[in-house]
Amino acid sequence: MQIKNREKEPEMAEMIEGSERDRRRLSELLNGIRVGSGVDAMADEMREAVWTDVRTRIRRRGLRMRIVRYAAAAAVMAGVVCGSWFLGGRRVESRLVAEAHPVIISTPKGVKSDVVLPDGSRVRLNGGTRIVYPTLFGDQRRVEVDGEAYFEVEHDARRPFVVVTGEVASTVLGTTFNVHAYSEDENYQITLATGSLLVDGGPDSRSVRLRPGEQGFFERTSGMLSLRRVNVGQVLSWQEDKLYFRAEPLASIARSLERQFNVDIAIADERLRKICFTGEFVDGENIQEIMQIISADSRILFRSRKNHFELYRNR
């Protein structure tokens, strides 16, 4: 049978402020739980308990609730019904979304992936990136990123879109931008391609509003957030497997290559790790070819075994 309460739905529609889509989704959350005939009585009791709880919460808080507040109540009902299925051998099908249950996606090194968020925004993840977001956005669209990701955010003036990377929070309404914020790196970079973006460096730093072509550069050791102009095309080129380095320490370059090619690169010599290089790899070079180019510097030699590389000083 399908759990229904048609008499209660008009009442809830008047009590909850929101769009027709919100009211329809609330109905789906409660009506989308299907159970076998052996648990009809239990289902009726749980259905009535959920509606009673909804009315009580509205009266107690004196607020107009949106549907996302009641996803958890529907999830409780689903859990009890599923328990009956295990005991009675009945199949239970449920369609539930709950803001309290995060989605966690991790891409391995050497792999890129595309993600569509609950609001329709799109994200492209670079290798070695982890993204966390709720299955259903509420009044704020909040996403956590450890790694590098390019965002195409759907415009929604009522619900800001917030990307959290460690200490830094970037807030937009609708725009395209790139976040480079691996937890093992010394710095975070947030680059704006289109639209407008507010970057907050945390309580011990400052906030800056970016315009297209600008980058917020956050130094994690000092907590300093600075603004600079960059070549957006080069910043976004990782999506096409192109790499650009501008006066970048060899240790940082090695980390980028590890993520790009899913290899391990060791640099034991501390002085070697700090040597800065400028270069670009845009013609599909493989890791062996790139290592040979780097070792063209007379100070550097390399050796390799399968997917393990070592850069060391030329004595």
Side-chain angles (χ1 to χ4, degrees):
M1 107 178 197
Q2 183 176 3
I3 298 176
K4 298 182 179 180
N5 195 334
R6 298 298 183 188
E7 297 178 357
K8 296 293 192 294
E9 289 177 11
E11 177 183 347
M12 287 306 304
E14 295 176 1
M15 299 173 72
I16 299 175
E17 178 184 42
S19 65
E20 177 64 27
R21 182 182 63 181
D22 292 334
R23 296 191 291 271
R24 184 168 57 251
R25 188 173 297 173
L26 175 59
S27 177
E28 290 175 355
L29 285 171
L30 296 176
N31 293 343
I33 305 171
R34 302 178 183 274
V35 299
S37 57
V39 291
D40 284 357
M42 181 180 294
D44 290 339
E45 292 178 5
M46 289 184 296
R47 176 200 59 198
E48 186 60 33
V50 170
W51 286 108
T52 300
D53 181 63
V54 168
R55 293 194 301 270
T56 301
R57 292 190 185 196
I58 292 177
R59 286 194 293 268
R60 183 175 67 248
R61 297 186 182 183
L63 298 173
R64 295 182 178 270
M65 299 294 190
R66 294 182 64 84
I67 180 175
V68 291
R69 306 291 180 90
Y70 301 107
V76 171
M77 185 196 301
V80 178
V81 173
C82 287
S84 299
W85 165 54
F86 282 115
L87 293 175
R90 299 289 185 178
R91 181 180 179 183
V92 177
E93 296 179 353
S94 60
R95 295 173 57 229
L96 296 172
V97 285
E99 187 177 358
H101 291 213
V103 176
I104 302 174
I105 298 176
S106 297
T107 55
K109 294 178 180 178
V111 176
K112 298 176 178 63
S113 62
D114 296 297
V115 177
V116 179
L117 300 178
D119 66 336
S121 297
R122 296 180 177 273
V123 189
R124 184 151 175 83
L125 306 180
N126 203 351
T129 297
R130 180 177 182 268
I131 184 172
V132 181
Y133 58 91
T135 55
L136 181 67
F137 285 134
D139 294 335
Q140 183 186 81
R141 298 174 289 170
R142 177 186 172 96
V143 177
E144 298 178 13
V145 175
D146 180 352
E148 183 165 24
Y150 174 73
F151 288 85
E152 296 179 354
V153 178
E154 287 290 321
H155 181 79
D156 189 340
R158 297 176 304 170
R159 297 189 300 170
F161 191 99
V162 181
V163 177
V164 178
T165 54
E167 305 90 337
V168 180
S170 304
T171 304
V172 302
L173 295 177
T175 188
T176 58
F177 62 102
N178 192 80
V179 173
H180 183 101
Y182 289 93
S183 57
E184 64 267 27
D185 287 353
E186 292 83 6
N187 307 307
Y188 293 156
Q189 300 116 48
I190 298 91
T191 307
L192 182 63
T194 63
S196 179
L197 179 63
L198 178 65
V199 180
D200 184 358
D204 298 326
S205 186
R206 64 171 182 145
S207 298
V208 296
R209 184 171 294 278
L210 303 184
R211 294 178 295 180
E214 293 181 335
Q215 180 183 89
F217 188 85
F218 182 76
E219 298 179 13
R220 299 179 64 191
T221 53
S222 65
M224 181 179 297
L225 177 62
S226 58
L227 184 66
R228 60 188 188 180
R229 298 287 301 180
V230 295
N231 185 318
V232 175
Q234 293 183 2
V235 172
L236 304 182
S237 64
W238 62 266
Q239 300 178 75
E240 301 174 349
D241 295 325
K242 297 179 180 180
L243 298 172
Y244 291 86
F245 301 109
R246 293 290 178 267
E248 194 162 338
L250 186 58
S252 177
I253 293 175
R255 287 194 294 269
S256 295
L257 295 176
E258 287 178 330
R259 297 160 188 155
Q260 178 77 9
F261 296 100
N262 191 22
V263 297
D264 295 322
I265 302 176
I267 310 175
D269 191 294
E270 191 61 31
R271 291 176 298 174
L272 209 59
R273 294 172 60 85
K274 296 179 180 179
I275 295 178
C276 292
F277 288 87
T278 295
E280 55 189 48
F281 303 102
V282 297
D283 297 321
E285 294 91 345
N286 60 40
I287 186 62
Q288 285 284 348
E289 292 171 334
I290 292 177
M291 284 297 175
Q292 290 172 0
I293 293 173
I294 292 176
S295 63
D297 186 304
S298 60
R299 296 168 292 181
I300 303 173
L301 296 174
F302 86 94
R303 48 180 167 244
S304 64
R305 183 179 180 183
K306 294 184 178 180
N307 289 332
H308 299 274
F309 294 82
E310 180 185 359
L311 293 171
Y312 59 99
R313 180 174 291 277
N314 185 12
R315 303 297 181 182

